[in-house]
């Protein structure tokens, strides 16, 4: 908004981030929310409403980008970031706690596998390279274990190589936590 840096690179990252959110949200709506309806009716409704709000905020951002209006881009990005942070925090504190407590572990694995299928194969390496550096050690460990559970062995072996490249020096810590990655 202040004319510093290269907004095209930032907007490209933001566009990819929105693609990831679409994959995530559609996976939740098709797999997680129906499972929650069985064990905690009506919980998912508020999160589906959040998803529609995020869709609306991203449309505002797209309009600002298409108009090349840096002030509108700044406002739309700030609103999107605020609402998304609030939504993801609420999911982690509430929705996924219920999911972990009330959905059986085998069903959780199947659901996460279905969600993972939302990521187009040709974009998987880009996804891993983008995601893993953003995660703290605990979350890297959880994601690695989820991938191990959800992916066939050859695909998981390829994913571990991508993870190693994505996190660089943090690989030693991750393999300490998840020795099966070695």
């Amino acid at each position: 908004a202040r004319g510093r840096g290269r907004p095209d690179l930032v907007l490209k990252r933001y566009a990819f981030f929105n693609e990831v959110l679409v994959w995530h949200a559609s996976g939740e709506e098709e797999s997680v929310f129906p499972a929650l309806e069985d064990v905690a009716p009506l919980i998912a409704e508020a999160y589906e409403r959040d998803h529609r709000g995020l869709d609306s905020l991203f449309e505002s951002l797209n309009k600002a980008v298409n108009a090349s209006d840096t002030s509108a881009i700044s406002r739309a990005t700030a609103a999107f970031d605020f609402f998304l942070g609030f939504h993801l925090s609420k999911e982690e504190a509430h929705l996924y706690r219920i999911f972990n407590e009330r959905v059986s572990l085998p069903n959780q694995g199947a659901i996460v596998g279905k969600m993972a299928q939302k990521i187009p194969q040709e974009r998987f390496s880009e996804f891993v390279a983008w995601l893993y550096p953003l995660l703290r050690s605990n979350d890297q460990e959880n994601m690695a274990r989820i991938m191990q559970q959800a992916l066939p062995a050859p695909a998981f072996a390829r994913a571990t190589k991508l993870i190693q490249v994505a996190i660089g020096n943090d690989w030693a810590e991750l393999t300490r936590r998840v020795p099966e990655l070695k």
Side-chain angles (χ1 to χ4, degrees):
R2 292 182 179 94
R4 292 185 228 137
R6 295 208 31 217
D8 56 323
L9 295 177
V10 173
L11 293 173
K12 184 178 177 186
R13 281 189 67 205
Y14 225 80
F16 179 70
F17 181 61
N18 191 61
E19 286 183 76
V20 171
L21 288 176
V22 169
W23 301 332
H24 175 81
S26 64
E28 283 181 338
E29 291 169 10
E30 293 175 21
S31 303
V32 175
F33 294 171
L36 286 174
E37 278 301 311
D38 291 341
V39 297
L42 306 177
I43 292 295
E45 181 181 352
Y47 294 93
E48 287 187 60
R49 289 181 185 186
D50 281 3
H51 288 181
R52 300 299 72 82
L54 288 165
D55 293 343
S56 176
L57 288 169
F58 191 75
E59 280 306 309
S60 296
L61 178 59
N62 273 339
K63 286 179 186 173
V65 168
N66 291 334
S68 298
D69 182 341
T70 55
S71 294
I73 291 170
S74 182
R75 285 190 303 275
T77 302
F80 189 80
D81 182 61
F82 173 80
F83 189 73
L84 178 63
F86 187 79
H87 170 73
L88 293 176
S89 179
K90 189 171 68 172
E91 276 188 348
E92 191 171 312
H94 183 241
L95 184 118
Y96 280 98
R97 185 175 292 164
I98 293 169
F99 180 79
N100 289 332
E101 291 173 0
R102 298 190 185 173
V103 176
S104 72
L105 199 55
N107 285 345
Q108 288 179 31
I111 289 165
V112 169
K114 288 178 187 173
M115 286 183 68
Q117 291 173 1
K118 293 292 181 183
I119 303 168
Q121 285 291 81
E122 66 277 6
R123 306 295 298 281
F124 186 74
S125 60
E126 185 180 5
F127 171 74
V128 170
W130 169 82
L131 176 67
Y132 269 82
L134 299 174
L135 300 176
R136 293 180 304 248
S137 295
N138 285 346
D139 295 326
Q140 288 177 350
E141 177 184 352
N142 289 338
M143 281 302 299
R145 292 188 186 283
I146 288 167
M147 284 184 176
Q148 184 178 27
Q149 194 175 40
L151 297 174
F156 181 66
R158 287 189 299 276
T160 59
K161 289 179 177 132
L162 295 170
I163 295 166
Q164 184 176 11
V165 169
I167 63 173
N169 293 335
D170 292 337
W171 178 249
E173 173 61 16
L174 184 58
T175 57
R176 186 188 67 74
R177 292 168 167 265
V178 187
E180 305 86 5
L181 293 175
K182 291 181 183 180

